[in-house]
Amino acid sequence: MNSGVVTSKKPSSVKQKIVVVGNGMVGHHFVEQLCQSPKRQDYEITVLSAESRLAYDRVHLSGYFAGKSAADLALTTPGHYRELGVAFELDAKVVALDKDEKTVTTSGGKSFSYDKLILATGSYPFVPPIEGNDREHCLVYRTLEDLAAIENAARQSKVGVVVGGGLLGLEAANALKQLGLETHVVEFAPQLMGVQLDKPGGQLLRAMIEDLGVNVHTEKATKIITDGEQCHHRMEFADGSHLETDLILFSAGIRPYDNLAREFDLALGERGGIVVDNHCQTSDKAIYAIGECALWNNFIFGLVAPGYKMAKVAAGHICGESGQFTGADMSTKLKLMGVDVGSIGDAHGKTPGARCYTYENQVAQTYKKIVISPDGKHLIGAVLVGDTSDYDTLLQYALNGIELPEMPESLILPSLQREKPGLGADSLPDSATICSCHNVTKGDIITAIDDGNTELKQLTACTKASTGCGGCSALLKNVFEAELDKRGVEVKKDLCQHFAYSRTELFHIIKAEQIKTFEQLISKHGQGLGCEVCKPTVASILASAWNDYILEDPHIPLQDTNDVFLGNMQKDGTYSVVPRIPGGEITPDKLIVIGQVAKEYNLYTKITGGQRIDLFGARVDQLPDIWKRLIDAGMETGHAYGKSLRTVKSCVGNTWCRYGVQDSMSMAIFLEERYKGLRSPHKLKFAVSGCTRECAEAQSKDIGVIATEHGWNLYVSGNGGMKPRHADLFATDLDDKTLVQYIDRYLMFYVRMADRLQRTSVWLENLEGGLEYVKSVVIDDHLGINDELEAQMQAIVASYQCEWKTTIENPEKVKRFRQFVNSGQSDSNVQFVTERAQIRPARPEEKHPGERIPAVDITENRPV
Amino acid sequence: MANNKSWHTVCHKNDLLTGAGVCALVNRDEQVAIFLIDNRRVYSIANWDPIGQANVLSRGITGDEQGEIFVASPLYKQRFSLTSGHCLDDDAVTVPHYPTRIKNEQVQILA
């Protein structure tokens, strides 16, 4: 038995014991809700699961057959539960419940006492009482174990039948089809998905599914399953027909797992289900039931979203909150075997007085129906088959009671000339539910954005919106973008209070008016003195446009300290030193010099992620001398401090490697030499791999180049760091010349267009038209600017200078590296201690207050 | 306290660059960051960044927020008023500021 019991150090009596029976999606959601509660520490949580693994995503179970592993579907891990301090037992089916003693006992004989018990036992598939339903390869579709059994049985089968033409049955049929079986669906009712769809919708769905090669048999009641002639089984139907098959999957609905309640005397519904009130409490107030085992208002909700809602209500109630469960929307949108299906509210129009509009297009195979309230003002239901693009809008109308437009039919009619009366993200009220799985409203999303979650991924991580069934992801993106737009318009238009322009606009102004300094720009196009936002931005644009020496007097006050002192400032105010090592290739002689310099100046030495060497702990006054040593030895600045090209990482390629197909080393060095010194909105990293094994990890770089048998594949806008992104394949099998041409254009286009501090990945993702648009610009010269882009890049390449060389050759510039304008002393606060035979900054408690490190006269220290 | 203070001549005006800072050492170990704004106004605050915990303020970028002149720390970018030493991004933080003048092209600090 796998168990992960966390023992509490505090006496357990002070904490309330919460025992959760069942670790399906809803049980797990309850645990998460409770763990997020501010009263978390008041509770000791124990999870008892009858399954052999922790919660996984049952909604996307069919993904298993599309190659998803159990780990991919997992919603949590043992490690995560341990981190949360949640104790759990697997393979621990609860078999006994003592309401007086408040204990539960597992099949393994272990007993657990509780203050509050949560039953989240879920449901089991209903298998119709047909003779022969227990024959070999007669299976159900519910757990990962079921899937493994289906996969196994399918290997020995040619034909498969799903009994049940509901939502889950069609999912299961899709799984059989993916496994390569001749697939049949047998349904008792006259139509498919009778709960969600009306008759015409069901008919169209049937036609479309049959087009895909699935045989549908409706109005068939199976009487008996016996031996077949061609196949393992033969299904005899009540109407006298029969069907032969090797494998049968029962998907005829669910039944609540309510045995515990049944055996130990909790109130049950007539047809099963543990009766709960609006707090999800059962007839015993210490016991809650949530999810598919719970019966609320004589109804069992077989969807995950209402289950999540119950979990939240129950967790909240335990913590003393007042939220109640008052039912849930059962609308659904999904793709069944590639067919889009949507159903909202009163799909059948059963509400007295309800009327509907329908639109059917047999050519395009779409069917749409909206059901409106008797007064004609509100949308109360909808059916969509073949095209669900209107689902989000219709759902918002239905859920939020938004008044219908003058001609409601325009909501489902195809837009001919006239614009559809769209329901933009803006017109939704803040109370509009965006994600019904996690009950996230538009207001929640706005709050999260205001809290600084300005990346879509951050937003989903923090609100959980679209992490349930995923059906709302498009709507979420719309709301997100509309909200950002609202903020973005202000932020983007005005770089800061000193300039009412975006970075891109400033770039154009600077180029068009040949502006060479910040002073010229702000006096003509801005106001005030500038600030830490606009100054470095303008400095970067000036460098990208004119490529002057960045420490010309007018430029110095604009730069971040890293650019002013040509090093990366560290936490203690010292700087790091990184000479350029193109492609990571370095001679032993240069290595020795780096080693000597590091040793003489007592610098902490580390290999960087970009195949170079970083020397830390140089005081500002030491920098010119350190760099003089490196430059004398034939090295140059690595621009590790600049928003500019950093490194071009490389493997050795076909010069050494058995597998290499091109000379990646030479290409990497060529690219690094070409683009070094290019100032850009953000730092740039490249890599070149000599074969598809991709040892240089080029697909995580702004520019990635991977050798092929015929040339180079170019990848763009990859990113490691805070928000990793795989690069997009831009063009394939390029020759050297075209490769460089494309990179020239791509980079220069980015440099012109991107916002400040925007990496190529974020730039591309936010660019209207995205990758295809940039391709059209770079490859097809859609904007007719390629000559200009190339010429600009050529000008940058031609005007390169090693800014450290220029600096040390100018005594006036070197003067700026003094620690004190009036003293040769050093900063007494910069103190080091030794760790692993190298220096590191002393922590505050390790420092000797007031102790002054003697000023180091560098000329004296220099070895002869 | 004021009695103990005196004007220190720390450098020539030409040692300053408009919009940028330098650091001067006074009273044995007091580090002062001096900034020239507009080529005529000169301001000083302590060089110690109490948030970043390092002597770096002289190396920050200067600017103005609605007319309030500041330097942004090069470490974590908090802005400090050059006229009061008050941190514009954290009300609880203030650094010492020093009266500063240019006399006969020499920069002087009262410290």
Side-chain angles (χ1 to χ4, degrees), chain A residues 428-458:
Chain A
L428 294 176
D430 283 3
S431 60
T433 301
I434 304 300
C435 170
S436 47
C437 290
H438 288 281
N439 198 19
V440 184
T441 62
K442 182 180 167 190
D444 296 334
I445 288 165
I446 291 170
T447 308
I449 292 172
D450 289 340
D451 289 347
N453 297 287
T454 52
E455 302 278 345
L456 191 55
K457 277 180 192 157
Q458 291 177 327

Side-chain angles (χ1 to χ4, degrees), chain A residues 383-394:
Chain A
V383 176
L384 302 167
V385 179
D387 173 10
T388 51
S389 53
D390 299 324
Y391 177 87
D392 289 340
T393 303
L394 296 177

Side-chain angles (χ1 to χ4, degrees), chain A residues 497-498 529-530 532 535-536 556-557 559-561 565 569-570 573 575 816 819-822 825 827 829 852, chain B residues 10 17-19 21 23-25 28-29 31 38 48 54-56 59 61-66 70 74-75 79:
Chain A
Q497 59 180 276
H498 305 102
L529 295 174
E532 80 285 8
K535 282 181 169 179
I556 288 179
Q559 318 277 356
D560 278 312
T561 189
F565 296 102
M569 180 182 267
Q570 305 298 322
Y575 291 82
R816 292 202 52 85
Q819 171 68 32
F820 300 114
V821 71
N822 63 341
Q825 292 182 22
D827 182 357
N829 184 57
R852 178 164 300 141
Chain B
V10 291
L17 184 63
T18 300
C23 182
L25 192 64
R28 190 166 174 274
D29 60 359
Q31 296 193 20
D38 276 353
W48 178 252
N55 286 309
V56 294
R59 292 181 231 155
I61 292 176
T62 62
D64 80 289
E65 160 79 34
Q66 313 291 349
F70 66 79
L75 278 172
R79 297 164 302 166

Side-chain angles (χ1 to χ4, degrees), chain A residues 63-74:
Chain A
Y64 179 82
F65 293 123
K68 283 202 175 176
S69 66
D72 292 333
L73 293 170

Side-chain angles (χ1 to χ4, degrees), chain A residues 18 36 130 152 167 337 399 410 533 547 564 590 628 689 720 727 742 762 832 835 862:
Chain A
I18 310 291
Q36 282 164 14
I130 302 165
N152 186 39
L167 199 154
M337 294 182 236
L399 290 184
S410 57
V533 171
N547 211 22
V564 178
K590 283 183 182 167
K628 185 168 190 325
S689 276
Y742 284 3
V762 181
F832 301 111
E835 190 173 275
R862 186 177 297 167

